[in-house]
Amino acid sequence: MKSESRIFNLLALFLFAMAAVYGVWTSKIDEGTEWVGVVALILSGLLCGMCGQFFSLVARRIEARPEDRSDAEISEGAGDLGFFSPGSYWPFGIAVAASIAGLGVAYWFPWLIALGVIAVLFAVTGLLFEYYTRTGEH
């Protein structure tokens, strides 16, 4: 987790620096500073910083992984990494439902927004419980 933390924290620093450069650069135009880009870069830097701090917090709570140690052997990283779905249609359903909600926002149809939000919740629930099985029942 240390390597992920470094990547995100360095990316956050880069985005903050680019926000400053962008703000100074656009202040030279006739209309003045272009604030939408500056705010977008700052918010992106904050999001990357939040992810980086989360990864550093997790890295302190767990023991070092082979990826985080310089003296690790390749064989230490062998084994199961987890369960990955071989194929699922739920992400497509989430995308369609989010598109419906987005169209509702774009044209300001409250009924379409509500329909899209309900469809998103249904699709996310389907994705979440796709491999859930009850145990103990006969």
Side-chain angles (χ1 to χ4, degrees):
M1 291 288 172
K2 290 180 184 178
S3 57
E4 291 92 343
S5 174
R6 282 190 209 110
I7 290 170
F8 276 102
N9 287 330
L10 288 173
L11 186 58
L13 288 174
F14 173 77
L15 289 168
F16 290 139
M18 288 303 106
V21 168
Y22 187 77
V24 169
W25 201 334
T26 59
S27 68
K28 307 291 187 217
I29 61 175
D30 294 335
E31 293 85 19
T33 305
E34 197 273 308
W35 290 106
V36 174
V38 173
V39 171
L41 286 167
I42 290 171
L43 290 176
S44 298
L46 288 172
L47 183 62
C48 286
M50 183 177 67
C51 292
Q53 292 306 312
F54 170 76
F55 284 135
S56 67
L57 180 75
V58 170
R60 280 187 257 142
R61 291 185 179 185
I62 63 173
E63 65 182 61
R65 301 176 307 164
E67 297 89 20
D68 296 327
R69 295 190 347 252
S70 60
D71 63 337
E73 295 292 327
I74 292 175
S75 62
E76 292 180 56
D80 289 336
L81 297 177
F83 173 75
F84 300 96
S85 177
S88 174
Y89 294 109
W90 288 111
F92 179 72
I94 293 172
V96 170
S99 298
I100 291 170
L103 282 173
V105 170
Y107 292 111
W108 197 247
F109 291 148
W111 61 271
L112 194 58
I113 296 170
L115 181 72
V117 168
I118 290 169
V120 165
L121 292 175
F122 177 75
V124 167
T125 303
L127 179 66
L128 182 66
F129 292 113
E130 184 173 14
Y131 293 103
Y132 175 76
T133 58
R134 288 193 224 181
T135 57
E137 284 190 20
H138 294 72

